Protein backbone atom coordinates (compact mmCIF):
# COMPACT_ATOMS: atom_id res chain seq x y z
CA UNK A 1 0.00 0.00 0.00
CA UNK A 2 1.65 3.22 -1.08
CA UNK A 3 1.82 6.06 1.36
CA UNK A 4 1.55 9.59 0.10
CA UNK A 5 1.92 12.83 1.96
CA UNK A 6 -1.13 14.85 2.82
CA UNK A 7 -0.78 18.22 1.08
CA UNK A 8 -2.74 19.89 3.85
CA UNK A 9 -1.34 18.59 7.14
CA UNK A 10 1.84 16.92 5.90
CA UNK A 11 1.12 13.61 7.58
CA UNK A 12 1.23 10.32 5.67
CA UNK A 13 -1.87 9.10 3.89
CA UNK A 14 -2.35 5.43 3.15
CA UNK A 15 -3.63 5.01 -0.38
CA UNK A 16 -5.18 1.69 -1.41
CA UNK A 17 -3.23 -0.28 -4.00
CA UNK A 18 -6.17 -0.12 -6.34
CA UNK A 19 -6.78 3.60 -5.93
CA UNK A 20 -7.81 5.22 -9.18
CA UNK A 21 -7.46 8.85 -10.22
CA UNK A 22 -10.57 10.67 -9.11
CA UNK A 23 -10.95 8.58 -5.98
CA UNK A 24 -11.63 10.50 -2.80
CA UNK A 25 -9.93 9.71 0.48
CA UNK A 26 -10.88 11.33 3.75
CA UNK A 27 -7.83 12.03 5.85
CA UNK A 28 -7.52 12.08 9.61
CA UNK A 29 -7.12 15.85 9.57
CA UNK A 30 -10.61 16.20 8.17
CA UNK A 31 -9.77 17.17 4.62
CA UNK A 32 -11.00 15.18 1.64
CA UNK A 33 -8.22 14.35 -0.78
CA UNK A 34 -8.56 13.53 -4.44
CA UNK A 35 -6.25 11.02 -6.08
CA UNK A 36 -4.84 12.16 -9.38
CA UNK A 37 -1.91 11.40 -11.64
CA UNK A 38 0.77 14.02 -11.85
CA UNK A 39 2.70 14.81 -15.02
CA UNK A 40 5.07 11.93 -14.30
CA UNK A 41 2.25 9.42 -14.15
CA UNK A 42 2.56 8.97 -10.41
CA UNK A 43 -0.37 8.96 -8.08
CA UNK A 44 -0.59 12.13 -6.05
CA UNK A 45 -3.05 13.84 -3.76
CA UNK A 46 -4.69 17.22 -3.78
CA UNK A 47 -7.41 18.73 -1.64
CA UNK A 48 -10.85 18.05 -3.00
CA UNK A 49 -12.91 21.20 -3.01
CA UNK A 50 -16.15 19.79 -4.21
CA UNK A 51 -17.60 19.62 -7.64
CA UNK A 52 -16.65 22.78 -9.40
CA UNK A 53 -19.06 23.13 -12.23
CA UNK A 54 -18.14 25.93 -14.52
CA UNK A 55 -21.21 26.59 -16.53
CA UNK A 56 -20.75 30.32 -16.54
CA UNK A 57 -23.46 32.68 -15.46
ZN1 LIG B 1 -4.18 15.52 6.32
Amino acid sequence: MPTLKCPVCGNPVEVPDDAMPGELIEHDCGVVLEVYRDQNGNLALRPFEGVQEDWGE
Side-chain angles (χ1 to χ4, degrees), residues 5-24:
K5 186 176 170 185
C6 176
V8 176
C9 69
N11 287 323
V13 183
E14 290 188 351
V15 179
D17 285 329
D18 59 352
M20 299 291 293
E23 191 159 326
L24 301 179

Side-chain angles (χ1 to χ4, degrees), residues 5-13 26-33:
K5 186 176 170 185
C6 176
V8 176
C9 69
N11 287 323
V13 183
E26 188 170 352
H27 195 221
D28 295 341
C29 65
V31 73
V32 177
L33 301 171

Side-chain angles (χ1 to χ4, degrees), residues 24-47:
L24 301 179
I25 299 173
E26 188 170 352
H27 195 221
D28 295 341
C29 65
V31 73
V32 177
L33 301 171
E34 180 184 9
V35 179
Y36 74 103
R37 284 195 189 277
D38 64 16
Q39 60 268 39
N40 296 319
N42 297 314
L43 290 179
L45 296 171
R46 61 187 170 197

